[in-house]
Amino acid sequence: MKQPEKFQLRTETQEGRCIVYVSGELDLEVATQMRAAMAPLVELKDRELSLNLRDLKYIDSTGIGILVSVLKARHANQAPFTVEAIPPTIRKLFDMTGITPFITKQNQEQ
């Protein structure tokens, strides 16, 4: 039986930017942990908030819902939010749900 990928978050602060590296599986089981980690970062209006999903193996509808809630909160605060290094399988889910244009940098700069 396959063991689930361990969920991990790592935050890196650069000048004017906060990057959150998400790895493993972002699903219902870890939703509370993800929300708690993101809550203070969402309020940082003076810097860009970016999620790096390079090492994310799986995301379910709960995880996508968290991304959408972060996107809405950042938009309400007029603070930039992007998602970068999206693996192809996860990008396909984002494309199917229609959120890709709202979370990718090239579309926010237009």
Side-chain angles (χ1 to χ4, degrees), residues 20-100:
V20 179
Y21 294 88
V22 184
S23 62
E25 297 184 356
L26 176 51
D27 57 16
L28 180 60
E29 186 177 335
V30 298
T32 302
Q33 181 183 348
M34 178 69 173
R35 282 190 190 99
M38 294 303 295
L41 302 175
V42 168
E43 300 304 318
L44 298 174
K45 298 176 188 178
D46 63 335
R47 66 186 66 192
E48 176 185 345
L49 176 60
S50 184
L51 292 184
N52 183 302
L53 303 184
R54 179 185 61 226
D55 296 321
L56 189 66
K57 305 296 182 215
Y58 174 80
I59 188 169
D60 70 0
S61 60
T62 305
I64 291 172
I66 293 169
L67 295 184
V68 170
S69 67
V70 169
L71 174 67
K72 287 180 178 180
R74 296 291 289 182
H75 182 73
N77 288 336
Q78 297 181 341
F81 173 66
T82 58
V83 180
E84 60 190 32
I86 305 168
T89 54
I90 293 174
R91 179 176 285 278
K92 186 175 180 181
L93 282 173
F94 290 173
D95 290 346
M96 287 190 308
T97 59
I99 66 169
T100 303

Side-chain angles (χ1 to χ4, degrees), residues 12-19 47-48 50 82 84 105:
E12 179 180 301
T13 303
Q14 298 175 348
E15 189 174 323
R17 191 165 185 235
C18 180
I19 305 169
R47 66 186 66 192
E48 176 185 345
S50 184
T82 58
E84 60 190 32
K105 193 171 225 160

